[in-house]
Amino acid sequence: MSNRINSVVRRSVPCYFCNEFLEERYLFDHVKHCGLVLEECPLKCGVYVLRKNMEQHRKTCNRETNRHGQMKEIQDSLWRNKVFSALTLLRSVINNEERERRNLQNNMTQCLKLVHSQRESINSLHFRITETTEQCRQYNATVNQRLQNLEVTCDNMEQRTSFSFQQLSEQLKLIHNELTNERQKHDEVLDNWCLELKDLKCFVTKESEHVNKMWQEQRQLIHDLKLELEMRCKNSRELIEQQKQIIEKVNSLEGEVSKQSVAASSQKSIVRGLKFQVKENLKYLEELISDNTKSNVSEFLGCQCRDGCVDLYPTNGRLLWRIDRYKEKMTEAKENDSAFYSPIFLNKEYGYTLRLEVFLNGIGQWKDRHIIGCLRVQPGKWDPLLDWPCVLKAAVTLRNQENPANDIKKLVKAVGRNKSNCPDENKEPGIYMFIPHTTLTRYSGYIKDNALFLDIQVKDIKTSASTPTLTL
């Protein structure tokens, strides 16, 4: 009976991974080679795999794509496997204990029934067995031996149950320690994820700020280009109107030319007569000069030079302005926001007095990006004889000193309001011209030997309705 109990105790030690019952001395070696033990992937993808499925997992392991997606599933499966193994172990131990308890209880009841029946038979036959006392003693001895065996079995049962409960408590402690370790690892993983999320949020905020700055710069550039495009559209419309007017003038001039050709033929005869008169007048002048003294001639010539002296301003409506020391003037414009003025010129003889005002470093929102110029109407000697207000338009050409085909043409407009000779300039300049700095630096030929050329030519004149002239 004791050998049977010991064999049952040896078989009742289960593996808490595969639930296979083994002898206690073989349990440690079995755990080393058990196929249901969870092991971490050697490729460090974060997955715990059964030992028997490790080779198959290595073939399909992808540590970058499965790491974050399967982490939670692995942890849940690990917890479920461990809890399931602990529950199955408890269930198996409880079932085995319950089964053995029932067997022992049945044996105990059978033995007690047998003892009671034997004692009744002994009591009933006590008077009859006087002759067989030795047999009764032997029978009592066997009964006592059976009772002792039952007590031994009860003691062994108690020892086994205590031993099984001790093993169960130790296994529960191990499971509890493993669960606490896994919980700590889980908390560490969550902390690492929180740190990575914070770093990602900081990076996203920085990138969003950088994108916003770039977007604002692009919006400012688009706004500037829109303004320049509007200015160019206005200039193109004005050019179309000018072209229509020029076509009308050309048609009218063609008619006048045909008329003048007829008149020119009639004037040739008149010119011949005038030539003859001029020759006669020259002979008369030569005779006068020979009669006068040399002193009178010198005084006469001096007076004529003084009276004929005129201002040395261009009077054909065109000015070729050479801007020397361009780099020094650009630095001065950047430091002091100063403007530079061209020499004075006239749109025609005895016409309006003009000059070009240039901001090399730009003004306002175009500062540090464009060269800006405007045409100004200045007080002149013949202003009282001119019509006011006036609108003057001019074409400004930035000359390329290497290739004339790359010249840049811009339109400017000036508005003259009054006839006063005050030094204040007109408050309404009209249309500005815009030349980007990038054009000067990107293409060669515009600035050479530290000099820049601007060709200014007045294109059109619009004045108020001309005043009627008086005839005497």
Side-chain angles (χ1 to χ4, degrees):
M1 187 70 181
S2 63
N3 292 330
R4 181 176 176 277
I5 293 169
N6 290 329
S7 64
V8 171
V9 170
R10 286 194 297 271
R11 285 197 304 274
S12 66
V13 178
C15 175
Y16 58 87
F17 292 104
C18 63
N19 296 325
E20 183 180 355
F21 289 92
L22 301 169
E23 294 184 7
E24 185 177 4
R25 59 181 178 177
Y26 299 125
L27 180 63
F28 184 74
D29 295 332
H30 173 73
V31 170
K32 289 183 179 179
H33 302 285
C34 182
L36 297 179
V37 175
L38 290 173
E39 291 184 348
E40 187 178 3
C41 179
L43 299 177
K44 303 298 181 182
C45 68
V47 179
Y48 286 84
V49 187
L50 296 176
R51 186 180 288 165
K52 64 181 182 179
N53 298 329
M54 185 60 70
E55 293 297 328
Q56 184 178 0
H57 173 72
R58 285 182 180 177
K59 295 178 181 179
T60 60
C61 179
N62 188 355
R63 59 179 295 182
E64 294 297 332
T65 58
N66 296 332
R67 181 176 180 181
H68 298 288
Q70 296 181 352
M71 184 65 70
K72 187 174 180 181
E73 184 179 357
I74 292 166
Q75 290 178 355
D76 295 339
S77 63
L78 181 63
W79 281 73
R80 286 198 300 271
N81 291 329
K82 289 188 177 180
V83 172
F84 182 75
S85 63
L87 291 173
T88 52
L89 178 62
L90 289 172
R91 287 175 183 173
S92 63
V93 171
I94 291 168
N95 292 327
N96 292 327
E97 293 296 333
E98 185 67 23
R99 193 182 300 111
E100 290 178 0
R101 188 183 64 78
R102 288 176 182 176
N103 292 327
L104 289 173
Q105 188 175 4
N106 292 326
N107 291 327
M108 289 283 290
T109 54
Q110 290 177 4
C111 291
L112 289 172
K113 288 179 181 179
L114 182 61
V115 168
H116 287 300
S117 65
Q118 289 177 355
R119 283 182 180 179
E120 289 176 356
S121 64
I122 289 169
N123 291 326
S124 64
L125 297 174
H126 180 68
F127 298 103
R128 296 180 183 179
I129 59 172
T130 54
E131 295 179 355
T132 59
T133 53
E134 292 180 358
Q135 293 180 356
C136 290
R137 289 176 183 174
Q138 291 178 357
Y139 186 78
N140 289 327
T142 56
V143 170
N144 291 327
Q145 184 67 34
R146 288 181 179 179
L147 291 172
Q148 289 178 357
N149 291 331
L150 287 173
E151 290 177 356
V152 170
T153 55
C154 289
D155 294 333
N156 291 329
M157 187 66 187
E158 290 178 356
Q159 290 178 359
R160 185 185 169 200
T161 53
S162 63
F163 180 74
S164 64
F165 279 112
Q166 287 178 359
Q167 287 183 345
L168 184 61
S169 63
E170 289 176 357
Q171 290 177 358
L172 288 173
K173 287 180 182 178
L174 292 173
I175 291 170
H176 180 69
N177 292 327
E178 290 179 357
L179 290 174
T180 53
N181 292 327
E182 291 297 326
R183 187 60 180 270
Q184 291 176 358
K185 290 180 181 179
H186 182 67
D187 294 335
E188 291 177 357
V189 171
L190 288 176
D191 293 334
N192 293 328
W193 284 1
C194 291
L195 292 174
E196 290 178 356
L197 284 174
K198 288 180 180 178
D199 295 335
L200 182 62
K201 286 180 180 178
C202 295
F203 178 75
V204 169
T205 52
K206 290 180 181 179
E207 288 296 322
S208 63
E209 291 176 357
H210 182 63
V211 169
N212 288 329
K213 289 181 180 178
M214 292 179 65
W215 178 244
Q216 289 177 358
E217 292 177 356
Q218 291 296 326
R219 287 181 66 186
Q220 185 64 31
L221 182 60
I222 290 168
H223 181 67
D224 296 340
L225 292 173
K226 185 177 180 182
L227 290 175
E228 188 172 358
L229 182 61
E230 291 177 355
M231 299 294 291
R232 290 178 181 272
C233 289
K234 291 181 180 179
N235 294 333
S236 63
R237 291 172 185 173
E238 292 176 356
L239 286 173
I240 291 170
E241 292 178 357
Q242 291 178 5
Q243 186 177 5
K244 291 180 180 178
Q245 293 176 0
I246 290 169
I247 291 170
E248 292 176 357
K249 290 181 180 179
V250 167
N251 293 328
S252 62
L253 287 173
E254 287 178 354
E256 291 179 359
V257 166
S258 61
K259 293 178 181 180
Q260 292 295 330
S261 61
V262 175
S265 60
S266 63
Q267 292 293 329
K268 286 181 180 179
S269 60
I270 298 171
V271 169
R272 291 174 184 174
L274 291 173
K275 285 182 179 179
F276 179 77
Q277 291 179 0
V278 168
K279 290 179 181 179
E280 295 295 329
N281 291 327
L282 286 173
K283 290 179 180 179
Y284 180 72
L285 288 173
E286 288 176 356
E287 290 175 358
L288 290 175
I289 291 168
S290 63
D291 295 332
N292 292 324
T293 60
K294 292 181 180 180
S295 61
N296 292 329
V297 172
S298 61
E299 290 176 358
F300 177 76
L301 291 175
C303 295
Q304 291 294 329
C305 290
R306 289 192 203 96
D307 295 334
C309 182
V310 295
D311 295 331
L312 299 176
Y313 297 155
T315 59
N316 58 352
R318 183 175 180 181
L319 175 66
L320 185 59
W321 182 20
R322 175 188 173 101
I323 302 176
D324 294 318
R325 300 175 64 250
Y326 171 76
K327 294 181 180 179
E328 291 81 0
K329 290 180 180 179
M330 177 61 80
T331 55
E332 182 180 356
K334 289 181 179 179
E335 293 175 356
N336 302 323
D337 294 333
S338 58
F340 297 94
Y341 298 92
S342 69
I344 293 174
F345 66 102
L346 304 178
N347 65 321
K348 62 180 180 178
E349 190 175 4
Y350 308 113
Y352 298 97
T353 305
L354 306 172
R355 70 175 178 180
L356 187 69
E357 182 181 15
V358 174
F359 299 88
L360 294 178
N361 196 36
I363 54 174
Q365 60 183 346
W366 296 280
K367 190 175 181 181
D368 297 327
R369 289 187 297 163
H370 291 78
I371 295 176
I372 296 177
C374 62
L375 189 64
R376 298 286 188 182
V377 179
Q378 300 295 319
K381 294 181 180 181
W382 300 280
D383 288 348
L385 301 177
L386 300 175
D387 295 331
W388 299 92
C390 67
V391 178
L392 300 176
K393 297 180 182 179
V396 180
T397 304
L398 176 61
R399 291 294 186 87
N400 191 310
Q401 302 175 39
E402 293 180 355
N403 186 6
N406 294 331
D407 291 346
I408 297 175
K409 293 184 179 180
K410 301 287 181 178
L411 287 177
V412 293
K413 182 176 75 172
V415 179
R417 292 291 182 185
N418 52 37
K419 303 179 182 179
S420 62
N421 292 327
C422 60
D424 296 334
E425 296 180 352
N426 297 305
K427 295 182 179 180
E428 185 180 353
I431 297 176
Y432 289 89
M433 72 170 185
F434 298 84
I435 299 174
H437 289 170
T438 54
T439 302
L440 301 179
T441 57
R442 190 181 302 168
Y443 305 101
S444 61
Y446 295 112
I447 301 171
K448 205 167 184 181
D449 297 330
N450 202 14
L452 184 131
F453 288 91
L454 292 175
D455 189 359
I456 308 158
Q457 187 172 3
V458 177
K459 289 291 186 180
D460 191 13
I461 301 174
K462 292 183 180 179
T463 60
S464 63
S466 59
T467 57
T469 58
L470 297 176
T471 57
L472 298 177

